[in-house]
Amino acid sequence: MTSTPDDHGFGPDPIVVMKFGGTSVADPSAIRRVAEIVQAAAESESRPVLVTSAMSKVTDALFDMVTRSAAGHVRGAQDVLDGMLARHRTASAELLDEPARCEFDALLEEASRNLTELMRVVSRHPGTRLALQDEIVGQGEHLASHLLALALRAKGLPCIWVDARQVIRTDDQHARAIPLQEEIVSAAQRLLMPRIEEGQIPVLGGFIGSTLQGATTTLGRGGSDFSGALVGAALRAREIQIWTDVSGFLTADPHVVPQAHTIPQLSYAEAAELAYFGARVLHPQTIKPAVALGVPVRICYSREPDAAGTTIDGRRVVSAQGIKAIACKRGITVVQVTAARMLGAYGFLRDLFEVFARHRTAVDIVATSEVSVSLTVDDASAMPGIKADLSTLGEVHAQEGYAIVCVVGEGLRNTVGIAGRIFGALSETDIALISQGASSTNLTFVVWEKDVSDVVTRLHECFFEAEAQPGSPAKVAP
Ligand code: ADP
Ligand code: ASP
Ligand code: MG
């Protein structure tokens, strides 16, 4: 599998980072499929590095345990913990032989002791919740990465578990930590490269990292994709593969539009916009490390490993219909600040954005008029403080219950008539805000959340269902 330049003069086989999502490691049959996929990669003259999510729904269960503990419901939290551990135990009994099963059982015992203790602390001192939450929710990836490494070894693959916390070094913002690029590159070169050169296949948990002081952090929900991209960039991989439960990046969320198509290729800019505006198939930060080094990202379907999936790379291809996909993001709050002649007032917008920065709240869409500014946020948890601070600038109104719809395509800005087609298809819809022109690849607008499925369905019909499409029909795991 591995080779050195001396073997044949062409240099070592390229590294491929393969990230497996929760459904791809959900149960023993899924893990057996992963073993076949990795086996095929190892035989095809690439050197795989694996990054795995927690088994599906395990992270939800761990968050549930945190919530129950903080509310003082330790018994309920313990029941959730027992169920989660039992699921791992059943999978290991099916996948592992005696010595490996004992090794994994010992890890489950350790996880059980640690989690019980952490839940006890959170229940007694709810103020510790944020600091300890990452330690708790990160256990899903910790266990899944051990299980995957052992299960793949049982199939004869030279896998070796590597502690992701030693590689993905981050700042100390719990629950949404920011990676420290240079430290990650040096840790990957130090901890992963020698293993890869020895012919081993490193297996890491996604989502988790640690501060330079050693405290566990996480990269935000869905963050294992980001881990995969960080590792891929640090190792200068030939490709970052995101193995998931759909046949690729699709023209729309298949749970909203079952007629969605698989898109053969997207540019980095298109994928980044779609991911940011709600296409959950890719964590919004995944593209950043890949684009910096021009590493292609490929979305692959775990149930059909030979299908082409979607390649995301630096090619900026304009499609015949002018758009490639539609994404939507629910749970949006629109904030409006009204003040007499505010735009004439020097520094007004700076003061306004400083309020959001101070409350660490990202603003997505902004529209201004002479007397008011409207903007959207998806995290309204700091809204009481934001409203209080904004009230010194003008009259403030915040309204929940909106969704952002984002239509994306290279060349969208230069394709005549696209906006007309979009808004023509939505002539009956109440549209709260529109943003076009900030990026040449995207047109974004805000509608009531209750209307969003209907809006995306109508746009999909208008752009993708009238004539034959280049991509194949979407496939979704049952
Ligand atoms: P994983 O557990 O493999 O990381 P996720 O659940 O995070 O998988 O992401 C895959 C899901 O993303 C799909 O099941 C689908 O419902 C959703 N999704 C939303 N928009 C899109 C899109 N445009 N293309 C593909 N999947 C999408
Ligand atoms: N397990 C984490 C989550 O569910 C990270 C991931 O799956 O990407 O959010
Ligand atoms: Mg995901």
Side-chain angles (χ1 to χ4, degrees):
M1 180 188 68
T2 54
S3 49
T4 64
D6 301 341
D7 289 332
H8 48 42
F10 291 112
D13 296 333
I15 293 171
V16 173
V17 172
M18 309 173 84
K19 175 265 167 176
F20 293 93
T23 45
S24 305
V25 293
D27 53 39
S29 357
I31 292 177
R32 284 191 203 102
R33 278 195 292 273
V34 170
E36 280 170 28
I37 292 167
V38 176
Q39 179 86 50
E43 284 167 3
S44 73
E45 302 200 330
S46 53
R47 297 184 292 170
V49 174
L50 313 186
V51 174
T52 184
S53 291
M55 295 169 91
S56 65
K57 309 259 178 350
V58 164
T59 312
D60 293 339
L62 291 159
F63 271 105
D64 186 20
M65 279 161 47
V66 174
T67 308
R68 286 172 191 254
S69 306
H73 302 146
V74 177
R75 187 62 253 161
Q78 188 68 43
D79 290 345
V80 179
L81 171 61
D82 292 343
M84 190 277 280
L85 294 171
R87 201 171 140 206
H88 285 84
R89 204 167 285 120
T90 308
S92 81
E94 232 186 273
L95 289 164
L96 307 179
D97 289 336
E98 193 49 35
R101 198 165 60 233
C102 284
E103 191 181 331
F104 192 67
D105 276 349
L107 285 162
L108 286 176
E109 284 301 316
E110 189 190 4
S112 171
R113 274 195 309 277
N114 290 344
L115 287 169
T116 304
E117 175 58 14
L118 287 163
M119 289 186 320
R120 198 185 57 80
V121 177
V122 171
S123 72
R124 292 205 181 150
H125 313 281
T128 60
R129 175 181 178 157
L130 191 60
L132 298 184
Q133 176 172 286
D134 284 341
E135 195 71 58
I136 296 175
V137 300
Q139 285 291 324
E141 269 70 12
H142 181 72
L143 292 173
S145 54
H146 273 292
L147 181 61
L148 186 65
L150 290 167
L152 268 50
R153 279 181 86 91
K155 294 269 176 204
L157 287 157
C159 287
I160 176 152
W161 180 81
V162 176
D163 189 349
R165 290 166 301 190
Q166 301 298 318
V167 178
I168 305 296
R169 304 325 287 255
T170 71
D171 74 357
D172 61 0
Q173 281 190 65
H174 285 289
R176 47 177 170 177
I178 296 178
L180 306 173
Q181 302 281 355
E182 279 177 27
E183 282 77 1
I184 293 173
V185 171
S186 98
Q189 293 299 329
R190 191 164 34 83
L191 299 172
L192 298 178
M193 217 52 212
R195 307 294 201 187
I196 299 168
E197 274 159 8
E198 284 161 20
Q200 292 175 319
I201 302 177
V203 181
L204 295 85
F207 183 51
I208 42 180
S210 75
T211 64
L212 296 176
Q213 290 71 37
T216 299
T217 50
T218 59
L219 302 176
R221 293 305 308 262
S224 297
D225 299 336
F226 192 18
S227 304
L230 289 164
V231 171
L235 294 171
R236 297 187 166 259
R238 185 196 57 191
E239 187 169 82
I240 297 158
Q241 299 176 350
I242 307 290
W243 290 84
T244 187
D245 65 346
V246 284
S247 51
F249 218 121
L250 310 176
T251 46
D253 183 343
H255 295 106
V256 177
V257 183
Q259 297 82 356
H261 293 262
T262 310
I263 309 164
Q265 188 270 345
L266 285 171
S267 69
Y268 288 123
E270 288 170 329
E273 298 275 13
L274 289 164
Y276 187 76
F277 287 109
R280 195 185 68 208
V281 66
L282 209 58
H283 182 276
Q285 305 285 341
T286 312
I287 294 302
K288 241 189 247 167
V291 76
L293 292 173
V295 182
V297 177
R298 195 146 66 87
I299 314 289
C300 310
Y301 186 26
S302 298
R303 288 173 180 261
E304 274 187 26
D306 294 331
T310 302
T311 301
I312 301 162
D313 58 23
R315 289 172 293 158
R316 311 191 72 146
V317 181
V318 177
S319 71
Q321 38 305 63
I323 78 168
K324 300 262 182 68
I326 307 156
C328 63
K329 186 154 134 181
R330 293 175 166 79
I332 298 297
T333 299
V334 173
V335 183
Q336 190 173 43
V337 183
T338 309
R341 299 200 59 78
M342 57 162 214
L343 283 187
Y346 178 77
F348 180 88
L349 286 177
R350 183 204 57 206
D351 293 347
L352 182 121
F353 285 118
E354 257 174 24
V355 171
F356 288 89
R358 210 162 41 243
H359 290 276
R360 296 187 132 172
T361 297
V363 171
D364 288 336
I365 299 181
V366 184
T368 57
S369 78
E370 168 71 355
V371 291
S372 79
V373 181
S374 291
L375 40 81
T376 67
V377 299
D378 67 357
D379 174 4
S381 54
M383 201 45 74
I386 291 174
K387 277 174 81 173
D389 289 1
L390 287 177
S391 64
T392 60
L393 298 174
E395 198 181 309
V396 188
H397 180 69
Q399 174 70 53
E400 296 173 1
Y402 285 102
I404 295 177
V405 177
C406 178
V407 178
V408 167
E410 287 288 349
L412 183 145
R413 187 194 282 168
N414 300 326
T415 311
V416 177
I418 296 256
R421 278 181 79 188
I422 292 173
F423 295 116
L426 305 178
S427 54
E428 312 282 292
T429 308
D430 185 5
I431 296 173
L433 266 173
I434 300 175
S435 161
Q436 188 189 14
S439 131
S440 62
T441 54
N442 120 2
L443 191 155
T444 311
F445 53 93
V446 178
V447 297
W448 288 108
E449 188 167 339
K450 66 176 176 50
D451 296 334
V452 73
S453 292
D454 186 42
V455 165
V456 174
T457 302
R458 262 186 290 150
L459 289 177
H460 198 272
E461 272 167 17
C462 169
F463 283 94
F464 296 109
E465 291 167 43
E467 50 218 67
Q469 298 300 316
S472 48
K475 292 191 186 151
V476 182

